[in-house]
Amino acid sequence: MEFDPSQPNAGRIYDYLLGGSHNFAVDRMAAERLVQMIPTIENGARLNRWFLDIAVNRLADLGFNRYLDLASGLPTQGYIHEIRPDALVLYNDYDQATVAYAREIIGNNPRVIYHQANIAELDSILAQADQHFAGERKLAICMIGVSYFLDNHVLQQTLQRLYEWCSPGSQISISWIALPEDPNPQLQELLARYRAMGSPIYARTVEQIKQFIEPWTLLEPGFQRLSEWNEIDGTWVIEGDRQAGDEQSDMYGTFMIKG
């Protein structure tokens, strides 16, 4: 994939929303337009990043010291190798500029590798994982801030292939965005802007998301909002967009295990 510095990138926008510096003027302009449209989008970025910290520490407490992080974005602002410097980590992203920046950030750290590949090219990533983890397949897998950028086919295929590849006892942590089936005009504009960037967000309700879990086993506390994981009174959702019951637009985090 050729790098086009004139086009904003969802990963670099995410970095900017987190206060990072590895982004371009075009990313900052796009991010500011998104913030003007939906001020709570910055909350969403922070909730995702804080959930990554929670996920890594929870998994480390269970004894995991090998982490496969998919569609990682830029490893700044508290990434896995900073949270657990003793761990072996394999990051991945498809964007050429993101990977180049990431390798510069990581530097000469033999415990950390950043592999360039599209998540749809999962076999390439898993081959690199076999090499980096010396064939050990009981590991922690993270998909934070990525599930909603994958269409139904790729998401289902990715989770199924990961389940088949990894060893029993492996766990996967995922963050999700639940959106209403009939989004309001403000949310429709947000989705349109991400589509224009080449990073469409796929709207799914909570019930639709739950269909992707099998054959993984959902661990306690099940589907929990990121604001609850982070024990704060806050959310990313657009004011007035909440609906009754489980069908609420919000961000969720889950842990699943291969039995």
Side-chain angles (χ1 to χ4, degrees), residues 126-197:
L126 297 181
Q128 184 70 67
D130 273 329
Q131 181 177 339
H132 188 49
F133 301 138
E136 175 58 61
R137 292 188 175 184
K138 183 179 179 182
L139 69 159
I141 305 168
C142 297
M143 291 179 62
I144 310 300
V146 58
S147 66
Y148 36 89
F149 289 114
L150 305 179
D151 66 33
N152 289 351
H153 174 72
V154 172
L155 179 57
Q156 184 69 64
Q157 187 178 57
T158 298
L159 292 175
Q160 178 67 38
R161 181 72 182 96
L162 287 169
Y163 185 88
E164 294 169 352
W165 174 83
C166 70
S167 296
S170 295
Q171 290 195 25
I172 184 168
S173 59
I174 306 180
S175 68
W176 313 83
I177 288 180
L179 297 174
E181 292 185 309
D182 184 23
N184 65 27
Q186 192 179 16
L187 183 50
Q188 288 179 11
E189 184 178 353
L190 173 73
L191 298 177
R193 287 185 181 271
Y194 272 92
R195 281 196 302 272
M197 286 190 287

Side-chain angles (χ1 to χ4, degrees), residues 56-78:
V56 172
N57 282 299
R58 170 170 162 158
L59 292 163
D61 288 345
L62 292 171
F64 289 101
N65 66 349
R66 293 173 177 83
Y67 294 82
L68 171 59
D69 189 61
L70 294 173
S72 310
L74 286 164
T76 60
Q77 309 298 312

Side-chain angles (χ1 to χ4, degrees), residues 35-46:
V35 170
Q36 290 172 8
M37 186 192 319
I38 304 174
T40 52
I41 198 169
E42 289 182 292
N43 267 1
R46 295 188 190 102

Side-chain angles (χ1 to χ4, degrees), residues 72-101:
S72 310
L74 286 164
T76 60
Q77 309 298 312
Y79 257 76
I80 297 171
H81 69 286
E82 294 180 337
I83 300 169
R84 293 290 172 178
D86 60 328
L88 291 174
V89 184
L90 175 60
Y91 294 122
N92 150 262
D93 205 280
Y94 77 93
D95 181 68
Q96 188 179 64
T98 297
V99 174
Y101 267 137

